[in-house]
Structures are given as C-alpha cells and as structure tokens.
Amino acid sequence: MRTLIVAALFAIASPLTLAAANCPAHPKAEWLKPDDAKKQIEAQGYKIRTFKTSGNCYEIYGHDKAGKKAEVYFDAKTLAIVKQEIGD
C-alpha cells in the first residue's frame, strides 16, 4: 500500500517539478556568448552559482539582488526572463 501511495505522489509531482521553461528557438549563431550572457545577468544584480544551457535557454542557479535563492531561465538571444523561481 505504501509503495502505491509513493508512486501516486511521484506521478502527481513529476510533471510539476520537471516542467522546463519554454524558450523560443533561435539559431545558435544568434545566441549571446555564455560569457557575455553571464556578465549581463550579473549586471542585473544576480549572483550566479551555476550557469548552464537548458534546451533553448540559459539557466542560472544563484541569488537575486535581494539575496533570495533564484532559479531563472533566460532567452539565449535576448536574455528576457522566460521563467523564474525565487525562494528564501
């Protein structure tokens, strides 16, 4: 019974936790270079702990200018915020 309950919870939670940002697809040649993107994101006040490419997005883990934990997905061409989760 316990296994069934745990499986049901994962089935409900998985789509929510795995929902990725839906960044527009731009040709890679139009993307900002990662180093330039990092500099511009930091200029917006973010402290980047981890920077990576996620699908068509640049994704950071770190802190926002208020010092709160932040997971933010940016359009790789324009750096427009596509999705963000701000915590404590």
Side-chain angles (χ1 to χ4, degrees), residues 3 8-9 11 13 19-20 24 30 32 34 38 47 51 59 61 72 82 87:
T3 304
L9 289 174
E30 294 179 6
L32 287 170
K38 288 179 198 176
K47 303 277 190 244
F51 178 93
E59 178 182 8
Y61 293 89
V72 187
V82 177

Side-chain angles (χ1 to χ4, degrees), residues 21-88:
N22 189 15
C23 290
H26 301 291
K28 296 268 185 183
E30 294 179 6
W31 288 25
L32 287 170
K33 292 182 174 131
D35 288 339
D36 293 337
K38 288 179 198 176
K39 287 177 189 171
Q40 289 184 34
I41 291 167
E42 288 173 339
Q44 293 176 30
Y46 292 97
K47 303 277 190 244
I48 300 171
R49 182 174 36 95
T50 302
F51 178 93
K52 65 181 189 174
T53 301
S54 180
N56 293 315
C57 302
Y58 284 140
E59 178 182 8
I60 67 148
Y61 293 89
H63 294 86
D64 67 4
K65 56 179 123 181
K68 295 185 176 185
K69 289 183 182 178
E71 176 182 355
V72 187
Y73 293 81
F74 296 89
D75 180 302
K77 178 180 176 180
T78 67
L79 290 187
I81 295 174
V82 177
K83 179 181 174 183
Q84 66 180 346
E85 294 179 22
I86 306 296
D88 296 330

